[in-house]
Amino acid sequence: MSILFNILVFLHIVGAAMIVGYWIATLKEPTVHPRQRDGAFLQLLTGIAMMGVIPFLPDADPNYFKLGVKFAIAVAVAVLAVIGSRKVKNGEAVSTGLAHGVGGLALVNIAIATLWN
């Protein structure tokens, strides 16, 4: 089970990199890239899968409140990324707040994951 969990963590980090990387790349002209939406969905799916694997890990003592907060933020990131990518697809302008909401909330989620014990 620990190998599966480690693979899920790897994919979870790749999803975060997709969101934050494109956000940093477009800071001068903020927008939402379709790969940010894909990264948000990857984060949601791998996060849910990790929650399912945690009970089977030896010495696992998860902080479910922290994981619930991270899940709520991840859902918000995914919703914002879908809205932004649909605007881009339809040729509409993406507001600066929407673009920074996607990247900024993803960055907050990374901070929670790493700093909250």
Side-chain angles (χ1 to χ4, degrees):
M1 261 320 153
S2 63
I3 292 173
L4 173 61
F5 187 79
N6 289 336
I7 291 169
L8 291 170
V9 169
F10 170 76
L11 293 172
H12 198 68
I13 292 170
V14 168
M18 290 169 69
I19 300 168
V20 176
Y22 278 109
W23 176 54
I24 291 171
T26 60
L27 275 176
K28 287 188 177 184
E29 296 177 24
T31 190
V32 176
H33 195 278
R35 296 298 79 79
Q36 286 178 295
R37 180 199 60 218
D38 299 341
F41 286 140
L42 180 61
Q43 284 233 290
L44 274 173
L45 292 174
T46 56
I48 292 168
M50 285 189 292
M51 284 291 298
V53 172
I54 284 176
F56 300 104
L57 295 176
D59 301 327
D61 185 25
N63 182 344
Y64 288 108
F65 182 72
K66 170 186 169 181
L67 296 173
V69 169
K70 286 183 50 55
F71 177 72
I73 294 171
V75 169
V77 170
V79 167
L80 292 175
V82 167
I83 292 169
S85 65
R86 284 186 181 172
K87 285 185 176 238
V88 168
K89 184 179 178 181
N90 295 333
E92 301 172 24
V94 176
S95 70
T96 303
L98 178 64
H100 291 316
V102 172
L105 283 175
L107 197 60
V108 166
N109 229 0
I110 294 168
I112 290 172
T114 57
L115 301 176
W116 183 353
N117 291 324

